[in-house]
Amino acid sequence: MSEKHPILKDKCDPESRQRLLALNNSKLHDFVAHYADLCRPDSVYVCDDSPGSVAYIRDQALKLKEEQALALPGHTVHFDGYFDQGRDKEVTKYLLPPDIQLGPRINSIDEEKGFKEIEGLLAGIMAGKQMYVLFFCLGPTFSEFSAPCVQITDSAYVAHSEYILYRPGYEYFKSIGDSRDFFRYVHSAGELKDNVSVNVDQKRIYIDLKENIVFSTNTQYAGNTVGLKKLSLRLAIRKASREAWLAEHMLLMGVKGPGGRVTYVSGAFPSACGKTSTAMCAGESIIGDDIAYLREKDGSCRAANVEAGIFGIIQDVNPKDDPVIWNTLITPGEVIFSNVLTVKGTPYWLGDGRQVPEEGVNFSGKWYRGKKDKNGNPIPHSHKNARYTISLSRLGNLDSRADDPEGVPLSGILFGGRDSDTWVPVQQAFDWEHGVLTMGSSLESETTAATIGQEGVRNFNIMSNLDFLSIPIAQYIRNYLAFGRCLRTPPAIFGVNYFLRNRDGKFLNGMEDKRVWLKWIELAIHGEVKTLSAPTGLLPRHGDLQRLFQDVLNKDYTRDDYVSQFTIRVPENLAKLERISHIYYAQVPNSPQRLFDVFEEQKARLQALRRQHGDYVSPLLLA
Ligand code: SPV
Ligand code: MN
């Protein structure tokens, strides 16, 4: 290796070189050498799975001030730049040859042009810095789900986050020998000032699907930089499409049923729509909160968590709404807080239930109450998208099968978005196809006032995976339909809506109601509740929910509550079908005809119900 790649001999200390040599993989060696040459770091540090490597990275993050120590042992804070507080869709693009098209909803750039641009940005970008080379495994190691990955980064914060969020992969990498089948990521935070990326206009996230490489420059926010998170999801979706499995933006959890039974379900929700809080529901067990792989095995559906940690939204984590995470965040142990407010080593965030401090340090620098941005808008003390990074192993509610190399048997899939006026809180699809098309492929989510100015704008977001699709939307739907056909008993599909409001704009459900929906879903999966047939799916009966509200929340659930929440809103449901059909007609080339047929059938059922009972139909009128 060293003769072939003198650059590595020059840049690596003997231990790092030894670690690279022990991985007898020429593609890996070529990759590291090429980017060491191009990025021109002062030195290259190669990590393995040892505690020494992790400790080195943690120390570097502090030493280089990408993180600062907080008062509690193990706690650190990291700040991303003021304009680097979330995933940046505008500058995230697939590098595509002229003969490949992903459709108008998916961002891309000509391969040659994009590659030239990104290599230009990477040239010399690590001068004065150290390059870290790290190995991880997506999914449990030594299993059918395993996907080995190598990350190059000059950010110790990114590397540190990955040690918390993913399973170690150096030893696993040894086992793949000279295989060429692994994912690669090249990241540089670029030039830093006050520890944040300054060249925001040169922020790019470019994805090379042919080579399975993602490039990320001039950004630090984890969703743009941590290769194994959303960058890998894009690569995995393409790989899954080739190999007939599914790579999904889904939580994975166990729901307890009668007699100690545990039923595994996954759930797709767009960002900030209750995915983590569902996975963390009291009394149930979490496997993962963000990305799951689904595979067919002997005719049944198995699912595994791709990750080993949580990069969770911290807003509203408080002792009442999320006691388990709250406790983790106030206990010594490894936590990276990002974009919160810190006051003398104590982190504060929105909705933490504490008095907002007068001043401190946040993503805007020194913060004081009343601070405004350039446009005169108040700067909150902590960013809405402020996060915490923890290992799942910290949680007492971690499911005992979270690392099972076989995955867990998946019996249900939930689809939910922010929907003020259309879907009932919970309903079961008639079958796989009906669920995939009218729920997953029809998923939408409303923006909140705080994000894009105008409130209530619905965004289409198929399976909550639109931001990450690396195959045409129509292909993705076909893959889903085919996947279901391979299964003896496909998972039952449920549409859920935590955000339904009444005419006065008041939410109809409490945060905890989802605990009841989960119990009902568990029973419905096993055929242990009778359902009512609505045009949009199978609805719970009042009696079952009343019993479950009593058992789970010790609450009364009146007939009035039930009727207001489960009334079929015919005009809104018809309007939704219209909207979604239009998107598929106008913006999704080659949409499957079955999709339009199933929409037409649903429309006909809704119209028939309206002829019989009017626009708003009480569930008590259904059989
Ligand atoms: C999401 O936004 O869906 C997240 C966080 O899970 S990010 O890493 O930004 O994707
Ligand atoms: Mn996510």
Side-chain angles (χ1 to χ4, degrees):
M1 178 195 81
S2 48
E3 282 79 49
K4 193 170 167 214
H5 298 303
I7 175 98
L8 294 177
K9 192 167 175 229
D10 289 356
K11 300 279 180 186
C12 292
D13 63 24
E15 193 181 32
S16 285
R17 244 181 85 221
Q18 189 42 46
R19 284 176 178 158
L20 269 185
L21 280 172
L23 301 175
N24 201 3
N25 190 305
S26 54
K27 181 173 165 177
L28 171 75
H29 294 163
D30 293 348
F31 170 68
V32 177
H34 177 72
Y35 288 99
D37 203 20
L38 183 66
C39 302
R40 295 198 290 279
D42 285 3
S43 59
V44 175
Y45 185 89
V46 180
C47 295
D48 64 8
D49 302 343
S50 66
S53 282
V54 192
Y56 178 76
I57 291 294
R58 276 195 211 110
D59 287 351
Q60 284 293 99
L62 289 171
K63 205 169 105 195
L64 300 171
K65 298 200 167 59
E66 276 193 273
E67 295 173 33
Q68 282 97 46
L70 293 172
L72 288 179
H75 287 203
T76 59
V77 64
H78 162 81
F79 291 108
D80 298 303
Y82 192 80
F83 299 105
D84 193 20
Q85 295 286 315
R87 271 188 281 115
D88 196 331
K89 295 189 213 177
E90 291 290 300
V91 300
T92 303
K93 296 177 186 170
Y94 292 100
L95 303 175
L96 293 186
D99 57 325
I100 294 193
Q101 263 137 37
L102 294 178
R105 298 293 299 227
I106 300 175
N107 230 352
S108 66
I109 181 169
D110 172 69
E111 184 179 50
E112 225 182 282
K113 187 171 159 219
F115 192 69
K116 225 169 125 190
E117 184 190 358
I118 200 77
E119 290 241 325
L121 288 173
L122 287 169
I125 201 170
M126 294 185 188
K129 294 195 203 173
Q130 187 164 53
M131 170 192 275
Y132 310 111
V133 182
L134 305 111
F135 301 90
F136 296 99
C137 182
L138 295 165
T141 39
F142 302 103
S143 92
E144 213 190 332
F145 292 99
S146 311
C149 304
V150 54
Q151 169 91 56
I152 287 177
T153 180
D154 59 10
S155 162
Y157 158 70
V158 168
H160 182 198
S161 300
E162 289 183 322
Y163 267 124
I164 299 176
L165 293 170
Y166 299 96
R167 294 172 177 98
Y170 179 80
E171 290 305 317
Y172 181 65
F173 231 91
K174 276 187 184 161
S175 75
I176 71 167
D178 203 29
S179 163
R180 308 183 69 75
D181 188 14
F182 51 91
F183 293 161
R184 301 178 281 175
Y185 316 99
V186 182
H187 165 254
S188 172
E191 194 187 326
L192 300 178
K193 186 164 177 273
D194 297 332
N195 314 311
V196 301
S197 299
V198 280
N199 296 319
V200 276
D201 56 324
Q202 293 170 20
K203 189 198 291 186
R204 298 287 182 279
I205 297 107
Y206 282 1
I207 304 131
D208 181 343
L209 295 169
K210 221 166 41 204
E211 291 294 331
N212 277 326
I213 304 186
V214 185
F215 305 97
S216 161
T217 59
N218 299 299
T219 168
Q220 292 164 298
Y221 174 70
N224 295 327
T225 59
V226 168
L228 282 90
K229 204 169 208 7
K230 294 313 191 330
L231 312 189
S232 78
L233 180 53
R234 297 176 168 90
L235 301 179
I237 286 172
R238 190 132 185 124
K239 184 173 162 69
S241 177
R242 278 196 307 268
E243 298 172 356
W245 49 279
L246 299 174
E248 296 302 307
H249 188 208
M250 285 181 180
L251 67 85
L252 185 57
M253 69 187 297
V255 182
K256 292 196 183 64
R261 175 174 73 198
V262 178
T263 302
Y264 291 99
V265 303
S266 67
F269 298 78
S271 308
C273 289
K275 193 146 56 84
T276 306
S277 63
T278 304
M280 287 299 297
C281 261
E284 317 299 1
S285 52
I286 183 171
I287 295 188
D289 85 319
D290 200 34
I291 305 172
Y293 290 168
L294 277 51
R295 281 180 175 268
E296 176 271 336
K297 194 153 189 245
D298 304 326
S300 76
C301 182
R302 314 282 306 189
N305 180 21
V306 169
E307 308 184 284
I310 302 185
F311 174 61
I313 294 182
I314 205 165
Q315 179 170 358
D316 293 332
V317 173
N318 58 54
K320 183 174 157 288
D321 296 323
D322 201 339
V324 179
I325 300 276
W326 169 263
N327 279 330
T328 311
L329 300 186
I330 58 160
T331 311
E334 196 165 24
V335 184
I336 307 176
F337 293 86
S338 47
N339 307 319
V340 294
L341 177 80
T342 63
V343 185
K344 296 195 190 96
T346 300
Y348 292 83
W349 54 90
L350 300 170
D352 62 11
R354 290 172 293 183
Q355 172 89 32
V356 179
E358 289 297 319
E359 54 179 33
V361 175
N362 79 354
F363 66 102
S364 72
K366 226 179 139 17
W367 179 88
Y368 43 86
R369 199 190 283 258
K371 184 171 180 183
K372 294 206 165 64
D373 68 14
K374 274 201 213 106
N375 302 323
N377 299 315
I379 298 176
H381 67 289
S382 166
H383 197 274
K384 267 177 63 56
N385 195 31
R387 302 241 169 191
Y388 59 86
T389 300
I390 56 169
S391 162
L392 279 163
S393 64
R394 299 283 309 279
L395 305 178
N397 57 337
L398 181 61
D399 191 272
S400 60
R401 293 170 75 177
D403 280 317
D404 195 328
E406 303 279 310
V408 293
L410 191 73
S411 308
I413 299 178
L414 283 52
F415 289 108
R418 203 171 276 271
D419 167 8
S420 58
D421 63 6
T422 309
W423 280 4
V424 294
V426 60
Q427 61 185 328
Q428 182 176 358
F430 301 125
D431 54 32
W432 177 260
E433 185 184 63
H434 178 249
V436 166
L437 299 177
T438 70
M439 294 171 181
S441 306
S442 301
L443 205 60
E444 294 176 289
S445 202
E446 290 159 12
T447 53
T448 55
T451 45
I452 310 185
Q454 203 187 344
E455 195 168 0
V457 178
R458 288 184 175 90
N459 284 326
F460 167 71
N461 191 348
I462 178 169
M463 321 283 178
S464 81
N465 219 358
L466 181 63
D467 286 356
F468 317 112
L469 286 193
S470 49
I471 54 175
I473 295 175
Q475 180 67 44
Y476 181 56
I477 297 177
R478 284 196 173 84
N479 292 351
Y480 247 92
L481 296 175
F483 185 74
R485 283 194 293 271
C486 290
L487 302 171
R488 232 176 304 114
T489 329
I493 294 182
F494 298 86
V496 296
N497 181 11
Y498 303 155
F499 301 95
L500 190 66
R501 299 176 191 236
N502 67 12
R503 276 178 211 279
D504 305 327
K506 222 177 128 252
F507 285 114
L508 286 172
N509 292 102
M511 296 260 274
E512 286 207 304
D513 293 2
K514 57 170 91 67
R515 292 178 57 193
V516 173
W517 312 147
L518 282 175
K519 293 299 191 201
W520 181 81
I521 284 168
E522 202 278 339
L523 294 171
I525 284 170
H526 294 280
E528 292 173 11
V529 279
K530 287 214 183 90
T531 53
L532 301 169
S533 194
T536 50
L538 303 170
L539 268 50
R541 294 179 313 169
H542 175 241
D544 292 322
L545 292 182
Q546 193 176 35
R547 181 171 54 82
L548 290 171
F549 265 92
Q550 203 49 255
D551 290 355
V552 179
L553 301 179
N554 199 17
K555 259 193 188 163
D556 234 18
Y557 186 68
T558 67
R559 203 173 264 256
D560 284 352
D561 293 334
Y562 174 67
V563 170
S564 64
Q565 294 167 18
F566 285 88
T567 282
I568 305 296
R569 302 172 178 217
V570 177
E572 286 81 356
N573 273 286
L574 284 172
K576 179 181 174 83
L577 280 171
E578 201 61 38
R579 262 193 322 273
I580 303 293
S581 300
H582 184 73
I583 291 174
Y584 281 105
Y585 268 120
Q587 297 176 22
V588 180
N590 305 317
S591 294
Q593 184 54 39
R594 227 12 234 154
L595 177 130
F596 297 112
D597 294 347
V598 167
F599 286 4
E600 279 304 314
E601 288 162 21
Q602 184 129 315
K603 184 171 163 189
R605 284 191 300 270
L606 283 160
Q607 286 168 335
L609 186 74
R610 176 159 67 181
R611 279 195 297 276
Q612 213 184 343
H613 296 297
D615 277 347
Y616 295 92
V617 183
S618 161
L620 300 175
L621 295 169
L622 303 171

